[in-house]
Amino acid sequence: MWLPSQLPEVESAMRDSGFQGDPGSLSDLSKPPMSAVVSLGGCTASFVSPKGLVVTNHHCAHGAIQLNSTPENNLIVDGFNAATMADELSAGPGARVLVTDRFERITDRILADARGATGRAYHDAVEAASKAAVAECEAEAPGYRCSVVDMYYGTDFHLVRQLEIRDVRLVYAPPDAIGSYGDEIDNFMWPRHSGDFTFYRAYVGPDGKPAAYSPDNVPFKPAAWLTVSTDPLAEGDFAMLAGYPGRTFRHRTAAEFADQVEWQLPSRVELMSALLAAIERGSAGSADAGVRYAAQVASLKNTLKRAQGELDGLRRSDAVAERRRQEAAMSAWLASQPDAAATRADIDAASRVIASARATRERDQLFGLMQAQTQLLGGAMRLQRLALERGKPDAEREGGYQLRDEARIEAALRQAQRRYAPEVERAILSELLARHRALPADQRVPEIEQVFGADAAAADAALDTLYADTVLASEDERLRLLAAAPAEVQASTDPLMRAAATLLQAVLRFEDGDKARAGELLRLRPAYMRGMIGHARSEGRAVYPDANSTLRVSYGRIESLQPRDAVSWAPLTTVEGIVEKHTGVAPFDAPGPLRDAIARRDFGATADPGLGTQTVNFLTNLDTTGGNSGSPVMDARGRLIGLNFDSNWEAVSASWKFDPRYKRAIHVDARYMRWIMARVYPAPQLLAEMGLPLDGADRGPAPAAAAGR
Amino acid sequence: MWLPSQLPEVESAMRDSGFQGDPGSLSDLSKPPMSAVVSLGGCTASFVSPKGLVVTNHHCAHGAIQLNSTPENNLIVDGFNAATMADELSAGPGARVLVTDRFERITDRILADARGATGRAYHDAVEAASKAAVAECEAEAPGYRCSVVDMYYGTDFHLVRQLEIRDVRLVYAPPDAIGSYGDEIDNFMWPRHSGDFTFYRAYVGPDGKPAAYSPDNVPFKPAAWLTVSTDPLAEGDFAMLAGYPGRTFRHRTAAEFADQVEWQLPSRVELMSALLAAIERGSAGSADAGVRYAAQVASLKNTLKRAQGELDGLRRSDAVAERRRQEAAMSAWLASQPDAAATRADIDAASRVIASARATRERDQLFGLMQAQTQLLGGAMRLQRLALERGKPDAEREGGYQLRDEARIEAALRQAQRRYAPEVERAILSELLARHRALPADQRVPEIEQVFGADAAAADAALDTLYADTVLASEDERLRLLAAAPAEVQASTDPLMRAAATLLQAVLRFEDGDKARAGELLRLRPAYMRGMIGHARSEGRAVYPDANSTLRVSYGRIESLQPRDAVSWAPLTTVEGIVEKHTGVAPFDAPGPLRDAIARRDFGATADPGLGTQTVNFLTNLDTTGGNSGSPVMDARGRLIGLNFDSNWEAVSASWKFDPRYKRAIHVDARYMRWIMARVYPAPQLLAEMGLPLDGADRGPAPAAAAGR
């Protein structure tokens, strides 16, 4: 996950891997071709024509496809193919294409007021300077979205400026049964057979500036776009990928790795199991309660499964021991450096801050779940917090309680109606309260004891009263309180609202402690990073910052995987696998036109010459995480060979540790996209726009568009 | 699945595959080394020392291990290792080692009275001649078990004579967590990591003749025993296997293949699903009923899964179309043969008999399930049938109702108590009766209509009365009727007993038709086999008979598998896979001594030199089916390299069609057995007895026992 600016540093390694271009040409993300790689906010995409055509994952465009679907014209089921630009459909008012055009180091500006401060003051100074920089940037450049990002945990701050295109239209989507073939069952799995691609087009006002959707808008003319390769792929081929990965934790300390492996993940597994059992107890004998909690159960199971997968992966990779070895080597190196004493002192201070959070981790976990896993109590706490925040100017409100968050809060309060059964919420709280009572005295929360008492009988009685007497089970009441003036909310005599008001005091107290720790870590972690980066440099190794939703580049190769004893996975899947998996029942219901084309072996030049059939997906050793969905995968000459859309299950722990034995990324083969668009659901107009052979059967001339780069 | 006598026919193919011995030396199953291969009745085993030491699968010895286990001395959990012969434990009065010593063609004798007859008379003549031959053989040779087996569906009959060793003792068994590591979860799966082996010893009286267990008995001295190989294994190596496979259907007609694929398996899947739904309906809201039907539900699910697997496999292999092509080629060849007309006429007549059974297949399926899937009605029908059969001399009773079957019938009548809930049995019968009413009029059973009426209301009313008024829900009543005189049973006025008496008339009528058809097919199918075998011979291909629990030999090689698109399975698994699968929870709870030995990499000479670690199981393309469990797998020189214990899931359809792309057999590597016995649960006394290196660390001298062959 290299910053583009780091690529010249790793030039020789890239060349050794087979890269045939100039790494310097990739290092400025405001210039071609990196400026062809855009963010959709959560997903990545790329321009593939001079007329603003954008390609991304089908699953990234799912909301837009759903928005345009009706029972009579169901684009989810049937797919979509705009015959002309006039037929393209708005992806909705919330859809965005974000084109990064500035990436500027502003560390000194951000830290100017923080220097000399500690704790909460350091945190608040950084936050205030960041908000000011963003406000200034956005005032200077209307139509742009600005943000401040933190590299290496407080070491450096950058101002990112992105052109915010707001008229995004749906151009082409395969049917869901192609775009998410295998769906949840195949999620994280290899071998994979998903046509997870969709085309958008970016539109701007006639003046070339971002504008809301209007029929008068015109296609955006990007400064760069990618050319789609027409060459075959094979194991060992060079591959690289650019995108906006969300968050990784690879530079956390060995103590944090140990906490993750020894406590966070195992306790999450145990606690999720206990909550699932509590929901089962609470809904026993009630089919209705079972239905109401189905989504919460699915989510808990998913959290449990992910936690177990991450735990298994970190243990398999011996991640804690390796991190300890890395720190020991760093410490040995650091001892001989000129600034050793000051750096060491900061590192040790950071360790103490980290250790201090461990002292209340059980409490924090339980208290968080009391709000997150309940509908009425959680709703009451949200209402009380919102009433508090509404007393401040919007910019000063706590994140999650600003004006832009209110619609989301309302939706949560509404949906409680379909997701709540009193006996289940009581079972969940009983479970969490029993665990809270079992905490050491210094971890117990006085406000919880004030509301729920100090023993099981008191808790039962409190729950009886709270849930018998509250009016919050009524959606009207919840919405009335959402609309009410803060003072009225705070004066509510509803027993759950009173309980929430009490518990909110603890929330605020803990939050203050959290922010003070966050400020200290922002101040102290740079010493740890300085040590780790300095030591790595001394050994000739470059270090990339943890992912933070900024544009990153990964390079590597197409690579198979040996996931388990005696099992090998080839790096390319074929349409034969679609037929093997087809049952006729979703998510394995390949559409008739696809099955017919496979049965006819109607492949042409998109077929793989070695395998003698049409490929579907491929596997690389590229480094990805959430946010990399839709990332363009490129060959040694920078041509598009596929789209990233998933990782393998064995790689679920990669957000903490990249283990080259197990980490793979899963991509749609661009040849499958071309074949679908040539032979199965033909879109000759788009193939032509991308300069690709119209029928997929023959190699076309070198695409004219390539000259535009 | 070659008859040993056929091996000289396939000699050149065997040599091409790598066999280094003389196929003629394997062709007489009464002589060494084939006489080292013995039957346990349902499983296969082999002698591996001159002192009657026998090796078979752990799962074949499970009953004996269980029998000798107590809560204080749990051999299932702890395994067993007899320090001396005196410590060996009886495998129980039912345990057998069967050593085949005669295999004689007696076709003329069996068919003497049948020739000229047709239908039921043909069937009865063959049955009578077979019973007479068995009685004569057993009278001549006390201590032997004799049987008549049918080759190529009535073409040939052989008399098989087996020495019946009745004192079988448990010598060595690994803990269950090794012997069935992965258990049901890994059943049919590859990669596999099961140490599925156990040692028995055969004992005879001091006079050398079979005798019941007695401390005075002495080890049996077999005429032959296998030598265990100490060489490594690798993909492509020659392998062969001998054993007693139970039943295959590969020589059935194309019409029968079509019936299987187009009707039997799909209707079984559909009907099992419907019965599962009926049981769920019937037990809704009753946890108790759910528990009572848990075993029946598990069995129905297993039947459903197997049927679906077999269906998927036969479709994947395009088995029906290929069988049709084979028949068409045979027909074309047959036309030019001298006996074409007569053969053709018999084949066509056989086709008509087969087609006639299809006319009532729906009826037969439903009627069979009414008895098989109910406890009280099924019990009542068994009681009525037994009362009828008890009026005949034992030898003339219907199979399943002879004296030796009565203990099994009693057990079934007793266990009804734990497996019955009236509302569930009613739900099952309602489902089956509704389906019966939907049959065309000529398929409906008058006796069913007599008991249950002709419409849904009548069926409900009849079920109300039958289950309200019957006393059969009482175990005492059922056992009283089991003990009662036939006339008393037949005179019972219990409504379910009356219903069973009525339904029994239909059973007997259908059985008569079935036996007449069986007789006709026994008479006519030999023409079909003559055609198929003759055509194959004309193309230089030998044909083995379908499996019928007689000794067979398969040869082939160690081979990997590509089960699905982009997935490859290596043919050897290693102890690393045990560690990967280990969760600490059964069936993945590898014992501490095993995990410690793996962690120490305490392997020695049993390790695979290429893989650099200890192997566990391996995969061959050998031809196996149920009954081949425990079969010795041998190398090109006839030395034991492993034990067969399972097939892969993709091969579940192999009983109908051997598809070389997907059919594999799963074996314990003899090196894993040796390693467990050398380093994990040491049994140096047995290694020495088999002439193997005592500590597994070095190659020992050529075992002295080998000279005995």
Side-chain angles (χ1 to χ4, degrees):
Chain A
M1 295 191 181
W2 302 102
L3 290 166
S5 58
Q6 293 184 296
L7 293 177
E9 261 188 273
V10 293
E11 171 156 6
S12 75
M14 271 186 90
R15 291 203 182 286
D16 289 350
S17 296
F19 182 60
Q20 293 175 20
D22 168 18
S25 72
L26 304 174
S27 68
D28 187 342
L29 48 75
S30 68
K31 294 216 175 71
M34 292 308 280
S35 57
V37 183
V38 298
S39 169
L40 303 181
C43 277
T44 301
S46 53
F47 287 119
V48 285
S49 93
K51 295 179 196 161
L53 191 65
V54 165
V55 69
T56 187
N57 287 153
H58 184 267
H59 79 261
C60 294
H62 197 262
I65 298 168
Q66 197 164 35
L67 183 75
N68 285 289
S69 290
T70 62
E72 300 74 40
N73 185 23
N74 192 331
L75 309 190
I76 302 171
V77 172
D78 301 329
F80 179 67
N81 185 357
T84 68
M85 285 194 194
D87 299 308
E88 295 170 2
L89 299 168
S90 171
R96 293 288 180 277
V97 166
L98 301 166
V99 190
T100 305
D101 85 330
R102 236 172 92 185
F103 187 76
E104 184 189 353
R105 186 170 177 276
I106 56 165
T107 311
D108 286 342
R109 173 173 175 180
I110 296 296
L111 293 184
D113 291 344
R115 284 184 181 128
T118 62
R120 173 99 199 217
Y122 194 97
H123 170 272
D124 291 349
V126 167
E127 190 170 283
S130 298
K131 281 180 172 169
V134 166
E136 182 187 306
C137 169
E138 291 185 349
E140 268 174 26
Y144 283 83
R145 181 190 287 189
C146 302
S147 55
V148 171
V149 294
D150 163 12
M151 299 288 173
Y152 304 111
Y153 296 102
T155 303
D156 262 330
F157 294 85
H158 286 73
L159 181 70
V160 180
R161 194 177 80 168
Q162 297 177 305
L163 184 71
E164 185 175 24
I165 296 176
R166 290 177 287 150
D167 184 354
V168 181
R169 301 189 195 172
L170 185 63
V171 175
Y172 181 97
D176 199 55
I178 289 178
S180 63
Y181 192 65
D183 203 28
E184 285 303 319
I185 295 176
D186 267 5
N187 194 15
F188 280 120
M189 294 297 132
W190 185 262
R192 198 65 163 277
H193 298 88
S194 174
D196 197 354
F197 70 97
T198 286
F199 287 86
Y200 275 160
R201 192 183 304 280
Y203 282 80
V204 288
D207 60 354
K209 296 197 170 140
Y213 172 83
S214 159
D216 299 334
N217 286 351
V218 297
F220 175 67
K221 291 181 183 158
W225 58 94
L226 301 179
T227 302
V228 180
S229 164
T230 54
D231 287 343
L233 305 180
E235 174 146 27
D237 283 358
F238 175 89
M240 63 181 184
L241 160 155
Y244 293 84
R247 198 158 180 225
T248 57
F249 307 90
R250 296 181 191 160
H251 292 308
R252 294 299 177 101
T253 69
E256 289 173 302
F257 269 72
D259 185 52
Q260 184 75 0
V261 171
E262 289 157 17
W263 189 80
Q264 295 285 354
L265 295 170
S267 72
R268 196 177 303 160
V269 166
E270 195 272 327
L271 203 44
M272 296 301 115
S273 306
L275 287 178
L276 285 164
I279 292 176
E280 201 172 318
R281 278 197 304 277
S283 56
S286 162
D288 179 58
V291 170
R292 287 173 183 270
Y293 281 81
Q296 192 164 337
V297 163
S299 165
L300 288 168
K301 283 185 176 168
N302 188 46
T303 301
L304 192 160
K305 185 184 164 193
R306 296 263 330 220
Q308 188 63 56
E310 191 173 324
L311 185 59
D312 292 346
L314 291 175
R315 284 180 175 155
R316 189 168 54 221
S317 300
D318 206 13
V320 177
E322 188 174 325
R323 194 69 186 152
R324 287 199 176 115
R325 282 192 294 273
Q326 289 167 349
E327 285 190 0
M330 180 269 276
S331 291
W333 167 86
L334 181 63
S336 64
Q337 297 304 303
D339 58 347
T343 303
R344 185 78 258 165
D346 276 5
I347 293 174
D348 293 345
S351 295
R352 287 191 295 274
V353 176
I354 290 166
S356 74
R358 293 177 63 156
T360 57
R361 60 189 182 185
E362 288 85 2
R363 176 199 80 186
D364 293 339
Q365 188 185 48
L366 292 173
F367 195 43
L369 290 170
M370 281 179 66
Q371 176 162 358
Q373 295 293 327
T374 56
Q375 294 294 337
L376 292 209
L377 178 61
M381 290 175 76
R382 267 186 290 275
L383 284 167
Q384 288 290 6
R385 181 65 184 264
L386 188 61
L388 178 74
E389 299 296 333
R390 275 176 170 167
K392 308 174 187 171
D394 191 56
E396 289 174 24
R397 290 196 200 174
E398 182 69 13
Y401 292 91
Q402 294 178 285
L403 273 172
R404 62 179 178 192
D405 300 312
E406 294 195 2
R408 205 177 31 75
I409 293 172
E410 179 181 334
L413 289 171
R414 279 187 190 278
Q415 78 171 9
Q417 217 55 29
R418 289 179 288 110
R419 299 191 167 187
Y420 168 73
E423 57 277 27
V424 181
E425 181 149 328
R426 288 194 47 171
I428 291 169
L429 281 172
S430 283
E431 178 68 33
L432 294 172
L433 290 169
R435 288 164 177 264
H436 176 262
R437 288 193 301 273
L439 291 179
D442 60 354
Q443 274 208 59
R444 289 204 293 273
V445 182
E447 289 85 352
I448 292 180
E449 297 193 338
Q450 193 180 325
V451 172
F452 296 103
D455 59 42
D460 282 350
L463 287 169
D464 281 347
T465 309
L466 286 170
Y467 283 86
D469 297 348
T470 183
V471 297
L472 286 187
S474 148
E475 180 172 343
D476 287 347
E477 281 297 325
R478 293 195 301 275
L479 296 179
R480 195 185 61 72
L481 284 163
L482 178 68
E488 191 187 337
V489 174
Q490 287 160 340
S492 166
T493 57
D494 182 88
L496 264 181
M497 289 300 291
R498 298 296 345 121
T502 304
L503 296 174
L504 183 58
Q505 301 315 308
V507 169
L508 296 173
R509 188 169 69 253
F510 299 158
E511 227 172 63
D512 186 57
D514 290 346
K515 285 181 180 174
R517 263 197 300 272
E520 277 301 89
L521 286 176
L522 212 51
R523 183 174 74 85
L524 298 167
R525 269 195 210 266
Y528 180 79
M529 288 312 309
R530 206 157 59 235
M532 295 305 274
I533 295 170
H535 174 237
R537 284 220 175 109
S538 77
E539 295 184 336
R541 289 182 289 112
V543 175
Y544 50 76
D546 260 321
N548 56 1
S549 297
T550 56
L551 188 58
R552 303 298 180 94
V553 173
S554 170
Y555 67 91
R557 61 181 171 280
I558 298 177
E559 193 172 6
S560 58
L561 178 62
Q562 284 70 50
R564 288 185 296 284
D565 183 39
V567 179
S568 286
W569 288 338
L572 289 157
T573 62
T574 73
V575 290
E576 277 71 28
I578 295 175
V579 177
E580 284 172 6
K581 288 180 178 175
H582 178 76
T583 59
V585 178
F588 297 109
D589 52 343
L594 175 60
R595 283 180 290 129
D596 292 346
I598 296 170
R600 285 197 311 274
R601 305 197 64 72
D602 180 20
F603 302 138
T606 56
D608 188 275
L611 298 169
T613 185
Q614 179 62 51
T615 56
V616 180
N617 292 160
F618 67 101
L619 210 56
T620 66
N621 64 352
L622 294 174
D623 193 5
T624 57
T625 195
N628 271 123
S629 280
S631 285
V633 185
M634 293 165 278
D635 66 8
R637 292 162 58 193
R639 295 173 309 181
L640 187 84
I641 55 173
L643 300 182
N644 181 65
F645 73 96
D646 202 5
S647 289
N648 53 313
W649 176 246
E650 295 73 19
V652 76
S653 54
S655 56
W656 283 77
K657 172 157 183 61
F658 182 93
D659 185 334
R661 288 173 298 175
Y662 295 109
K663 174 67 181 82
R664 298 291 182 276
I666 299 176
H667 317 301
V668 194
D669 192 325
R671 295 174 295 174
Y672 184 59
M673 293 163 46
R674 286 170 50 212
W675 178 66
I676 295 285
M677 296 168 80
R679 304 287 179 105
V680 186
Y681 292 94
Q685 75 284 7
L686 295 182
L687 293 172
E689 184 177 339
M690 290 185 281
L692 287 165
L694 291 197
D695 68 352
D698 303 293
R699 300 283 166 76
R709 288 175 48 186
Chain B
M1 295 191 181
W2 301 103
L3 289 165
S5 58
Q6 292 184 297
L7 292 177
E9 260 188 274
V10 293
E11 171 155 7
S12 75
M14 273 186 88
R15 292 203 180 286
D16 290 350
S17 296
F19 182 60
Q20 292 175 22
D22 167 18
S25 72
L26 305 174
S27 68
D28 187 341
L29 48 75
S30 67
K31 296 215 175 71
M34 293 307 281
S35 57
V37 183
V38 298
S39 170
L40 304 181
C43 277
T44 301
S46 52
F47 288 118
V48 285
S49 94
K51 296 179 197 163
L53 191 65
V54 165
V55 67
T56 187
N57 287 152
H58 183 267
H59 78 262
C60 294
H62 198 262
I65 298 168
Q66 198 164 34
L67 183 75
N68 285 289
S69 290
T70 61
E72 300 74 40
N73 185 21
N74 193 332
L75 309 190
I76 302 171
V77 171
D78 301 329
F80 179 67
N81 185 358
T84 68
M85 284 193 196
D87 299 308
E88 295 170 1
L89 299 168
S90 170
R96 293 288 180 277
V97 166
L98 301 167
V99 190
T100 305
D101 85 330
R102 235 171 94 185
F103 188 76
E104 183 189 351
R105 186 172 177 275
I106 57 165
T107 310
D108 287 341
R109 173 174 176 178
I110 296 297
L111 293 183
D113 291 344
R115 283 184 180 128
T118 61
R120 173 96 199 220
Y122 194 96
H123 171 272
D124 291 349
V126 167
E127 192 170 281
S130 298
K131 282 180 173 169
V134 166
E136 183 187 306
C137 169
E138 292 186 350
E140 268 173 26
Y144 284 82
R145 180 189 287 189
C146 302
S147 57
V148 171
V149 295
D150 164 12
M151 300 286 174
Y152 305 112
Y153 296 102
T155 303
D156 263 330
F157 294 85
H158 287 73
L159 181 70
V160 180
R161 196 178 77 168
Q162 297 177 306
L163 184 71
E164 185 175 22
I165 296 176
R166 291 176 288 150
D167 184 355
V168 181
R169 300 188 196 172
L170 186 62
V171 176
Y172 182 97
D176 199 57
I178 289 177
S180 63
Y181 192 66
D183 203 28
E184 286 301 320
I185 295 176
D186 266 6
N187 194 15
F188 280 120
M189 294 296 133
W190 186 260
R192 198 65 163 278
H193 299 89
S194 174
D196 196 355
F197 71 97
T198 286
F199 286 86
Y200 274 159
R201 192 183 304 279
Y203 281 80
V204 287
D207 60 354
K209 295 197 171 139
Y213 172 83
S214 158
D216 300 331
N217 286 349
V218 297
F220 174 68
K221 291 181 182 157
W225 58 94
L226 301 178
T227 301
V228 180
S229 164
T230 54
D231 288 343
L233 305 179
E235 175 147 25
D237 282 358
F238 176 90
M240 65 180 182
L241 161 155
Y244 293 84
R247 199 158 179 225
T248 57
F249 308 90
R250 296 180 190 160
H251 292 309
R252 294 299 177 102
T253 68
E256 289 173 302
F257 269 72
D259 185 53
Q260 185 75 359
V261 172
E262 289 157 16
W263 189 80
Q264 296 285 354
L265 294 170
S267 72
R268 195 177 303 161
V269 167
E270 194 273 327
L271 203 45
M272 295 302 114
S273 306
L275 287 178
L276 286 164
I279 293 175
E280 200 171 318
R281 279 197 305 278
S283 54
S286 163
D288 179 58
V291 170
R292 287 172 183 271
Y293 280 81
Q296 191 164 339
V297 163
S299 165
L300 287 167
K301 283 185 177 166
N302 189 45
T303 302
L304 191 160
K305 185 184 165 194
R306 296 265 327 221
Q308 187 64 56
E310 192 174 324
L311 185 58
D312 292 347
L314 291 176
R315 284 180 176 153
R316 189 168 54 218
S317 301
D318 207 11
V320 177
E322 189 174 323
R323 194 69 185 152
R324 288 201 176 113
R325 282 192 294 274
Q326 289 167 348
E327 285 191 0
M330 179 269 277
S331 291
W333 167 84
L334 182 63
S336 64
Q337 297 304 305
D339 57 346
T343 303
R344 185 78 258 165
D346 275 5
I347 292 174
D348 293 345
S351 295
R352 287 191 296 274
V353 176
I354 290 165
S356 74
R358 294 178 61 158
T360 57
R361 61 189 182 184
E362 287 84 3
R363 177 201 78 186
D364 295 338
Q365 188 185 47
L366 292 173
F367 196 43
L369 290 170
M370 281 179 65
Q371 176 161 359
Q373 296 293 328
T374 56
Q375 294 292 339
L376 291 210
L377 179 62
M381 290 175 76
R382 266 187 291 275
L383 284 167
Q384 287 290 6
R385 181 64 184 264
L386 187 61
L388 178 73
E389 300 295 334
R390 277 176 170 169
K392 307 175 187 170
D394 190 56
E396 290 174 23
R397 289 196 201 174
E398 182 69 13
Y401 293 92
Q402 294 179 284
L403 274 171
R404 62 178 179 194
D405 301 312
E406 292 194 3
R408 204 178 31 74
I409 293 172
E410 180 182 334
L413 289 170
R414 279 187 191 278
Q415 78 170 9
Q417 216 54 28
R418 288 179 287 108
R419 298 191 167 187
Y420 168 74
E423 57 277 27
V424 181
E425 181 149 328
R426 288 195 47 168
I428 291 170
L429 281 173
S430 282
E431 178 69 33
L432 294 172
L433 290 170
R435 286 164 179 264
H436 176 261
R437 288 193 300 274
L439 291 179
D442 61 353
Q443 274 208 59
R444 290 203 294 272
V445 182
E447 288 85 352
I448 292 180
E449 297 195 337
Q450 193 181 326
V451 172
F452 296 102
D455 59 41
D460 281 350
L463 288 170
D464 281 347
T465 308
L466 287 171
Y467 283 86
D469 297 348
T470 185
V471 297
L472 288 187
S474 148
E475 180 173 344
D476 287 346
E477 281 297 327
R478 292 194 302 275
L479 296 179
R480 194 185 60 73
L481 284 163
L482 179 67
E488 192 189 336
V489 174
Q490 287 159 341
S492 166
T493 57
D494 182 88
L496 263 183
M497 289 300 290
R498 300 293 346 122
T502 303
L503 296 174
L504 183 59
Q505 301 315 308
V507 170
L508 297 172
R509 190 169 66 252
F510 299 159
E511 227 172 64
D512 186 58
D514 290 347
K515 286 182 180 174
R517 263 198 300 272
E520 278 299 272
L521 286 176
L522 213 49
R523 183 174 75 84
L524 298 167
R525 269 194 211 266
Y528 180 79
M529 288 313 309
R530 206 156 60 235
M532 295 305 273
I533 295 170
H535 174 236
R537 284 219 175 109
S538 77
E539 295 184 336
R541 288 182 289 112
V543 175
Y544 50 76
D546 259 322
N548 55 1
S549 297
T550 56
L551 187 58
R552 304 298 181 93
V553 174
S554 170
Y555 66 91
R557 62 181 171 279
I558 298 176
E559 193 172 7
S560 59
L561 178 62
Q562 284 69 52
R564 288 185 297 283
D565 182 40
V567 178
S568 286
W569 288 338
L572 289 157
T573 62
T574 73
V575 290
E576 277 71 29
I578 295 174
V579 178
E580 285 172 5
K581 288 179 178 176
H582 179 76
T583 59
V585 178
F588 297 109
D589 51 344
L594 176 61
R595 282 180 289 128
D596 291 347
I598 296 169
R600 284 196 311 273
R601 305 196 65 73
D602 180 20
F603 302 138
T606 56
D608 188 275
L611 298 169
T613 184
Q614 179 61 53
T615 57
V616 180
N617 292 159
F618 66 102
L619 210 55
T620 67
N621 64 353
L622 294 173
D623 193 4
T624 56
T625 193
N628 270 122
S629 282
S631 285
V633 185
M634 292 165 277
D635 67 8
R637 293 162 58 192
R639 295 174 308 180
L640 188 85
I641 55 174
L643 299 182
N644 181 65
F645 73 96
D646 201 7
S647 290
N648 53 315
W649 176 246
E650 296 72 18
V652 76
S653 55
S655 56
W656 283 78
K657 174 158 183 57
F658 182 93
D659 185 334
R661 287 173 298 174
Y662 295 108
K663 174 67 181 80
R664 298 291 181 276
I666 299 176
H667 317 300
V668 195
D669 193 325
R671 295 175 294 174
Y672 184 60
M673 293 164 45
R674 287 170 49 213
W675 178 65
I676 294 285
M677 296 168 78
R679 305 286 179 108
V680 186
Y681 292 94
Q685 75 284 8
L686 296 182
L687 293 171
E689 183 178 338
M690 291 185 280
L692 287 165
L694 291 198
D695 68 351
D698 303 294
R699 299 283 165 77
R709 287 175 45 186

